[in-house]
Amino acid sequence: MSVTSSPATLVASDLDRTLIYSAAALGLAMPDAEAPRLLCVEVYGHKPLSYMTETAAALLTEVAGSTVFVPTTTRTREQYHRIHLPGPAPRYAICANGGHILVDGVSDRDWQRQVETRIAEECAPLTEIRAHLATTADPAWLLKDRVAEDLFAYLVVERSLLPEEWVKELAVWAQERGWTVSLQGRKIYAVPAPLTKSAAMNEVARRSGATRTLAAGDSLLDADLLLAADLGWRPGHGELAEDDWQAPHVVALEERGGAAGEEILRRFLAASAA
């Protein structure tokens, strides 16, 4: 008697402030004696940087063992490789907001070429975007100016001093040139419109043979990922929650911080088993 394998479910999840959290973002509002035990999953500059609750770590181990789990992040490859998630090592990962698909930790060159070609054909060059940022950003609130993977730019700012109108004006200016702008915590991202997590997720689904996709994310850069998935979840914090962003198949969770990470993983498990 032949045995047929069940169709694979792909889980594409954002990392920062979705599954993993800085100490400040964990939202440990309970009394100290009732706080959950934590697992450090990232060290930077010889100091712990990102965490999961131990409950979330156990849930992620289950998810990664029963689905095609794909970490999906705007982080560069170098920044992603600092993270050590619990559970089996993912075969695929998406970095640089879809600019790189990692296969067993190595960037797929064919995908890189496709992305670079689309950006060159459809968007103003990165040099033009960086020049605009350099001439309009105020040193009073600008802390750092960075380029990620020669694909997009981001600024680290003093959020309390950042004029809201400046971000809105930048978004309009960038849109006319084929770029999108996203404000996430202390970072302002300027990203080419064709550089999307959803395109990379669809490519990984094709390669892995997955017939169903689940996704989660908290920022505007995750909106296309959530829209492209069959089911999605967003936490009660982040850009999407602040904008009351909605989609028929995306569940807006009430949980915030580390508790949201746990709940998202519970939802992944339940949906993948259905």
Side-chain angles (χ1 to χ4, degrees):
M1 183 176 69
S2 64
V3 178
T4 58
S5 60
S6 58
T9 296
L10 184 149
V11 171
S13 182
D14 177 50
L15 295 178
D16 294 278
R17 291 172 59 88
T18 299
L19 293 188
I20 69 174
Y21 292 83
S22 67
L26 275 166
L28 302 177
M30 70 289 290
D32 290 347
E34 299 173 16
R37 290 187 6 146
L38 302 173
L39 174 69
C40 177
V41 295
E42 180 186 16
V43 172
Y44 181 58
H46 309 291
K47 297 179 181 179
L49 182 61
S50 299
Y51 303 85
M52 305 178 75
T53 67
E54 285 194 347
T55 297
L59 290 167
L60 178 56
T61 300
E62 286 190 64
V63 170
S66 59
T67 69
V68 180
F69 173 63
V70 185
T72 305
T73 180
T74 304
R75 285 178 175 235
T76 64
R77 288 169 289 174
E78 180 182 359
Q79 292 166 339
Y80 168 72
H81 282 304
R82 292 202 304 256
I83 300 171
H84 299 284
L85 295 172
R91 172 80 196 282
Y92 298 99
I94 295 167
C95 294
N97 211 63
H100 291 278
I101 292 176
L102 306 188
V103 183
D104 295 326
V106 179
S107 184
D108 183 88
R109 185 57 191 149
D110 288 340
W111 179 253
Q112 278 183 258
R113 280 193 287 264
Q114 290 181 45
V115 169
E116 290 165 357
T117 298
R118 281 200 64 190
I119 292 173
E121 291 175 349
E122 300 175 25
C123 306
L126 177 61
T127 51
E128 180 180 342
I129 306 304
R130 291 203 72 200
H132 182 79
L133 293 174
T135 56
T136 60
D138 190 336
W141 46 258
L142 177 62
L143 302 177
K144 297 177 183 177
D145 173 7
R146 295 286 185 267
V147 169
E149 304 273 18
D150 291 324
L151 290 170
F152 62 90
Y154 66 94
L155 307 179
V156 181
V157 302
E158 182 58 59
R159 185 69 182 265
S160 62
L161 301 177
L162 177 68
E164 188 176 325
E165 285 304 312
W166 186 87
V167 180
K168 292 179 180 178
E169 291 169 4
L170 174 64
V172 172
W173 180 89
Q175 185 177 24
E176 295 170 351
R177 289 157 179 81
W179 288 66
T180 57
V181 170
S182 175
L183 175 61
Q184 299 181 39
R186 298 193 309 141
K187 292 181 180 178
I188 302 170
Y189 291 92
V191 178
L195 191 66
T196 63
K197 293 180 177 180
S198 60
M201 178 191 72
N202 289 335
E203 175 64 13
V204 174
R206 183 188 70 80
R207 295 186 186 195
S208 64
T211 56
R212 192 161 181 251
T213 53
L214 311 177
D218 70 298
S219 80
L220 289 174
L221 290 175
D222 296 311
D224 71 281
L225 177 70
L226 294 170
L227 288 172
D230 294 311
L231 284 173
W233 293 267
R234 67 163 173 83
H237 61 258
E239 280 183 315
L240 296 178
E242 290 167 8
D243 289 355
D244 193 27
W245 184 90
Q246 309 260 354
H249 64 289
V250 177
V251 177
L253 299 175
E254 294 182 2
E255 289 84 358
R256 302 168 60 89
E262 291 183 5
E263 184 60 21
I264 286 167
L265 288 161
R266 289 190 188 96
R267 300 292 183 108
F268 282 155
L269 275 175
S272 63

